[in-house]
Amino acid sequence: MVAALAITGECLIAAAMRRLGDLDIIRERSGLPGAIRAVLSSPLFLIGALCMALNFFAMLYALSIVELSLAAPATASLTYIGNAVAAKFFLRENVDKRRWLAALFVCVGVALLAR
């Protein structure tokens, strides 16, 4: 659940920021308050931020029942792999072989920690 919320939140926030465009250009046109208003009026951003907040509380719960030395690498690795998959299929990013290989190594590392 921790990783799923993080992946969803990060994916939604990335999509929202791509739709908004360059914040420097928005800030030049309408000032800092206009840039802040543009971000905070984006439904994708708000849902993504909610997911990230829920992720924070889910991580707190995970840390109350699992040791940090396992919980942190496990959630980080699942988030890393999930972000690569989400970037490829939902955001249409170019995820090259090096990134997939890195994700595989992360999985192997977490598997070694879990044993």
Side-chain angles (χ1 to χ4, degrees):
M1 184 56 96
V2 175
L5 287 167
I7 294 162
T8 303
E10 290 168 3
C11 209
L12 289 171
I13 289 172
M17 297 313 293
R18 286 186 181 168
R19 281 190 184 172
L20 285 173
D22 191 343
L23 286 180
D24 286 334
I25 294 172
I26 296 170
R27 195 184 80 233
E28 285 176 8
R29 280 188 297 205
S30 51
L32 183 60
I36 293 170
R37 189 170 30 261
V39 170
L40 294 179
S41 66
S42 167
L44 283 178
F45 178 83
L46 294 175
I47 295 168
L50 175 64
C51 287
M52 296 302 291
L54 293 173
N55 163 269
F56 173 76
F57 290 108
M59 186 62 174
L60 289 179
Y61 175 72
L63 290 174
S64 73
I65 60 173
V66 179
E67 293 178 359
L68 173 65
S69 61
L70 178 60
T75 57
S77 66
L78 288 173
T79 301
Y80 182 77
I81 295 160
N83 281 342
V85 171
K88 175 74 175 172
F89 296 108
F90 295 112
L91 299 176
R92 307 279 190 249
E93 292 181 3
N94 180 26
V95 181
D96 61 8
K97 290 178 184 177
R98 235 176 0 126
R99 291 184 193 175
W100 292 121
L101 188 59
L104 176 66
F105 283 137
V106 168
C107 287
V108 170
V110 170
L112 289 172
L113 282 174
R115 291 179 185 234

